[in-house]
Amino acid sequence: MQPATLDRTTTIRQDFPILQRVLPNGSPLIYLDNAASSQKPGGVIRAMDDYYRRYNANVHRGVHTLSEEATAAFEATREKVARFINAPSARNIVYTSGTTASINLVAYSWGRANLGPGDEVLITEMEHHANIVPWQIVQEQLGFTLRYVPVTDHGTLDLERLPELLTERTKLFSFVHASNVVGTINPVRELVAAARAVGAKVLVDGAQSVPHMPVDVQALDADFYAFSSHKMCGPTGFGILYGKREVLEPMPPFMGGGDMIREVTMAGSKWNTVPFKFEAGTPAIAEAIGLGAAIDYLEQAGMAWVHDHERAITRYAYERLAEVEELHILGPGPDERGGLVSFTLEGVHPHDISAILDRSGVAVRAGHHCAQPLHDRLGVHASARASFYLYNTPEEVDVLVDALHQAQDVFAL
Ligand code: 7TS
């Protein structure tokens, strides 16, 4: 890796208080579970602390100083998110509690208004459960057919099958931008163009892409784009649904309550404008402010740099993991994927791998990573996953590899 890149990582690491932590067994923390949730820089922690200490109040209602300050900071994040993903306006940005809630919003609101018997929703075998289960739930009520684009042995979408699966019956094509298991980065623009050709709307699950690479929603041209704050240096319990205005405007509300209405009488109610129509109740105010600080941080680091850095670490991880005998990496080669590597080690269950790595301070995730159909397709029950972010270093990959050798020694006995 370039020395300049590594110097920058050294500086970045100092911004994350948790990375200074030494675990109870004396090992320094080596955090390689970023696809599950990233760590938070001091700026994000301070922004949330400052809100609670200085201007905690509800938003959009009080005409007092605290409420006005809270509303200004809360709404400033909408502008920052719009700029970060190049949305046309802050009005395209709906606040949710995360990717899961964003996809459920589309399934319940857009789905109930647009899907019925004879219609099809196309997803893929590569999806996180968050982009499978909501469709299965509303499918029971609405009677449409759910179809899946298959995955190749290589861990990429089998696009040769697309013409037979994406047809005039397809009303929505919903797929992941970057896989949380095999790391594959899907060709979003090409898939959107194919959906447009049959008149289908497109939802992209950006949970693993927005945190890790520059994303321009206008260039990608999807109708909806969903992501979570907590995977991009921000707090948990908060996320975004981007939507095109012409798609969001006619959608009925999903949840009813305060803030999402213009007028309520005993005879009925009128809805607030988009995006507020979809934001019933008191929102996650500190979390919105925290995400604003996270975006400031990522913009300062530069998303192109974050992406390059992760690619370099992933390439290095590939080289080093190749030294571990009987280790099999799921998915495509390092140049076709995002910054994570899922693998199996013959004779060692992924949960045992994770437990042994933990002794060396290395945090990885083990299991099916909420993508059971994909594991079934690849013929494995579970895998271990190392996922990288802007603060990870090649030395941390070295510790991972040493610890994997130790795991093999333990299980060879
Ligand atoms: N979509 C993808 C591709 C994901 O990776 C995740 C979370 C979600 C949706 C759901 O996001 P949430 O913030 O609403 O929970 N993925 C993971 C993971 O891989 N390990 O833990 C969570």
Side-chain angles (χ1 to χ4, degrees), residues 35-36 99-100 128 130 176 180 205 207-208 228 230-231 365 385:
T99 308
T100 302
H128 185 279
V176 72
N180 68 321
D205 174 351
Q208 300 292 351
S228 298
H230 70 99
K231 295 185 200 285
R365 184 166 173 192
R385 180 185 68 191

Side-chain angles (χ1 to χ4, degrees), residues 162-177:
L162 205 57
E164 99 201 41
L165 290 165
L166 188 60
T167 69
E168 297 74 46
R169 289 187 299 280
T170 314
K171 293 291 173 291
L172 181 77
F173 186 15
S174 186
F175 55 86
V176 72
H177 192 159

Side-chain angles (χ1 to χ4, degrees), residues 27 144 209 219 322 326 331 398:
S27 308
F144 62 85
S209 43
E326 301 184 325
D398 293 338

Side-chain angles (χ1 to χ4, degrees), residues 33-37 96-103 126-131 175-181 205-209 226-231 236-239 340 365 368-371 385 387:
D33 195 16
N34 295 286
S37 199
T96 69
S97 65
T99 308
T100 302
S102 297
I103 297 173
M126 197 187 280
E127 300 309 311
H128 185 279
H129 296 166
N131 197 25
F175 55 86
V176 72
H177 192 159
S179 162
N180 68 321
V181 176
D205 174 351
Q208 300 292 351
S209 43
F227 55 101
S228 298
S229 151
H230 70 99
K231 295 185 200 285
T236 51
F238 196 68
L340 60 86
R365 184 166 173 192
H368 52 59
H369 319 304
C370 300
R385 180 185 68 191
S387 52

Side-chain angles (χ1 to χ4, degrees), residues 98-120:
T99 308
T100 302
S102 297
I103 297 173
N104 274 274
L105 197 166
V106 177
Y108 281 90
S109 169
W110 185 88
R112 282 206 293 224
N114 291 281
L115 297 172
D119 294 334
E120 293 182 2

